[in-house]
Amino acid sequence: MTELQVTCMQHLLLYLPRSVRAPSPARLHACRCSCTRSAYRPEPSSTHDWVGPPNPLSNLRPIVYHIPENETELEKRLRNLRQETEDWNHNFWAKQNITFSKEKEAFIISQLKAKGLTLRDEDGRRRSLSSEEMAMFYKNFLDKNRLRHANYNKEWYRRNFTITLLMARVTLNSVWRTVSERHSSKKNGTPTS
Amino acid sequence: MHRREPSNWLTYQHLNFLKRQVSFTGSCISCNWFDGTHKPQTEFSHLKPTAENAAVQNVSASRKAGSPDEPPHVQVETEEEKQARLDRQWKQLKVDRADLPDIYARLSKIKLTALVVTTAAAGFAMAPVPFDPIIFFVSSLGTGLASCAANSINQYFEMPFDSNMNRTKNRPLVRGQISPLHAVSFALACGVPGVALLTLAVNPLTGFLGALNIFLYTCCYTPLKRLSITNTWVGAVVGAIPPVMGWTAATGCLEPGALLLGGFLYSWQFPHFNALSWNLREDYSRGGYRMMSVTHPTMCKRVALRHSLGLIGLSTLAPVLDVTTWTFPIISLPINLYISYLAFRFYHKGDRSSARKLFFCSLWHLPMLLLLALTCKKYSRNQEGATLPAASLPLTLPAN
């Protein structure tokens, strides 16, 4: 195991209930922990999008958009817009989640300090606050970010609409193309039916 | 490979506790505690590890919202198997015909739709006119289609928010099972025939109410959820409209009785939703949803109590409006008192368990109340009071 993995294991074990805390060596090896992100990202296919597992920071799923052969301008525009929106979305939510966790952590520590308690109790377990105490933090977080959320909302709706309209146009275009190709191939094809 | 018996040492409660400690800032540990059947989406990121911050990253990283009560179990797998499983988690967005019914069911929130149709059916049944099974069926179908459309558009709008809330992580658009265009097309394919069916086969008033409800839900309630707490009141109106629709489908006009039934749903919504949202405060806060339970907790509890008591008042109003006999307020008193009692406890204690109790009570309270109302329905009415607009039912059968 790398040093990172060992640290991970130690951290992980700290949060397990007492009954589990002292695992046998067999158990330790059994729990495989890898701290490297699987950087696997499939190549864009020409027919279908690839949808990946949710990102741990933003909880959004990355998509590798398909690049059709003879991609039209419209399709390219759609693909770029979707990719850009996905990145923008990911950034917003990753930032949101990280900020939330950081501020929550800081709040818990400050509240515990005000009570004169340490972060961990005698067993080494983290203390947590009651849901009423946490409610103060949740309210504060929402109020602080109100404008930011409202702006995100507006922007997200606008992008969502644009993407859907573009998708509709692309679909209609490709249907029209297929129909007209079939029609023209029928005309130029077999003379007798 | 040895499997450990999960219930012996790691229970759902433990993992929930661990999940609450999640911090995204620190180390990147995530371990696979689930086997493949749970389709874990545990992710490994190489953020900088911090020693004392000791964050356990998402031990229960993705728990499917649909299976909250199953204990997780542990499977040991080799590195290659794990990598292969991760690779497999990239899926092509290819819609399999066989999956479509399940996807559509989840897209349209089929259980919620069924509840909406039930309340509309109750409204129909409570109307003091001869029961017409054809119109009953048609109006139920139209209401169901309208509800499917509204729910699909709601999910289409809320995709990134749903991804970040545990309750809604399992939805089709979040999981990337269908494209947004597909969801919108499905919504149109349900909504347009649904409203058309209501307008043409039942009556225009019901069709109008159906379209209004879709609009209120998708264009008012959904965006308002992130802007202001008034969303809960708008949502209560949305819930109140289906029984009114049922009544107007039967009688063709908006009468006080219809509004009373709508009033029942409106008032019921508050103990139901306020109790539900009480235990979801963290998710709502992180997701940016402005709910009373987060921003105005005292108001949240007060409103729930007020409307629970209001249900008693509305039940008493029912015989006054000739909707039911006087038996109804009496036999509904026990359940109304019980939910008021739970709302009172929620008001006083305001903790997770009282909220949960109130929520679960609301789930059986409403069907019970409607059933009792149905058994006490007043069948005889004054001739001036009842209006039977045969003219507004263009597709009446000759036999009728």
Side-chain angles (χ1 to χ4, degrees), chain B residues 14 57 106 108 126 139 190 197 204 207 228 271 297 307 309 311 318 322 324 333 341 347 353 355 362 387:
Chain B
H14 282 135
Q57 169 82 311
R106 277 183 290 127
S108 58
M126 285 302 294
S139 68
C190 286
L197 196 65
S228 151
H307 282 271
L309 292 169
L311 284 171
D322 277 341
T324 66
L333 198 59
Y341 164 69
Y347 178 71
S353 85
S362 73
T387 48

Side-chain angles (χ1 to χ4, degrees), chain A residues 7 9 33 37 45 73 90 105 109 134 136 145 147 164:
Chain A
T7 321
M9 284 303 299
C33 173
R37 185 199 182 98
S45 114
E73 260 314 300
H90 169 77
E105 188 72 14
I109 290 175
M134 289 310 301
M136 282 194 296
N145 288 290
L147 201 57
T164 310

Side-chain angles (χ1 to χ4, degrees), chain A residues 15 31 34 36-37 49 51 54 56 59 96-97 101 104 126 132 138-139 142-143 146 153 156 160 164, chain B residues 18 21 24 31 41 44 49 51 54 56 91 93 156-157 164 174 226-227 281-282 286 289-290 295 350:
Chain A
Y15 291 107
C31 172
S34 159
T36 53
R37 185 199 182 98
D49 300 336
V51 179
N59 293 315
Q96 168 99 338
N97 290 335
S101 302
K104 182 177 167 186
R126 278 178 59 117
E132 290 329 300
Y138 298 144
K139 174 172 163 55
L142 263 191
D143 290 337
R146 190 193 176 129
N153 218 40
W156 159 247
N160 206 15
T164 310
Chain B
L18 290 171
Q21 311 301 321
F24 289 86
C31 237
Q41 264 97 46
F44 312 106
V56 177
K91 292 196 168 63
L93 185 58
Y156 162 75
F157 281 157
N164 275 281
V174 173
R226 299 179 55 79
L227 297 174
R281 283 182 284 184
E282 173 165 1
R286 191 164 52 84
Y289 285 107
R290 300 196 67 82
T295 58

Side-chain angles (χ1 to χ4, degrees), chain B residues 89-103:
Chain B
Q89 287 179 3
W90 278 89
K91 292 196 168 63
Q92 282 207 320
L93 185 58
K94 226 183 300 205
V95 188
D96 190 5
R97 284 264 164 85
D99 290 334
L100 273 181
D102 179 57
I103 291 176

Side-chain angles (χ1 to χ4, degrees), chain A residues 6-131:
Chain A
V6 169
T7 321
C8 286
M9 284 303 299
Q10 286 169 347
H11 290 157
L12 184 59
L13 288 174
L14 268 171
Y15 291 107
L16 292 177
R18 257 217 152 139
S19 49
V20 192
R21 198 85 56 68
S24 61
R27 270 187 183 171
L28 255 180
H29 286 300
C31 172
R32 305 276 175 168
C33 173
S34 159
C35 297
T36 53
R37 185 199 182 98
S38 160
Y40 176 69
R41 215 180 142 89
E43 284 302 309
S45 114
S46 61
T47 48
H48 293 97
D49 300 336
W50 283 99
V51 179
N55 179 287
L57 292 177
S58 63
N59 293 315
L60 299 175
R61 287 175 184 261
I63 302 183
V64 175
Y65 298 102
H66 74 284
I67 307 177
E69 290 145 28
N70 309 326
E71 190 185 36
T72 64
E73 260 314 300
L74 207 60
E75 284 168 340
K76 187 154 189 208
R77 218 175 98 197
L78 172 66
R79 188 165 54 85
N80 288 335
L81 181 59
R82 288 184 84 181
Q83 186 62 60
E84 199 223 334
T85 301
E86 189 187 307
D87 295 337
W88 168 80
N89 244 340
H90 169 77
N91 287 338
F92 175 84
W93 284 103
K95 183 160 170 238
Q96 168 99 338
N97 290 335
I98 289 176
T99 312
F100 183 82
S101 302
K102 268 205 184 102
E103 293 185 2
K104 182 177 167 186
E105 188 72 14
F107 176 79
I108 291 177
I109 290 175
S110 75
Q111 288 291 94
L112 286 174
K113 230 177 235 154
K115 284 201 226 170
L117 294 167
T118 56
L119 184 58
R120 289 190 203 291
D121 62 12
E122 314 76 43
D123 290 333
R125 269 195 283 249
R126 278 178 59 117
R127 292 188 209 274
S128 60
L129 300 175
S130 75
S131 47

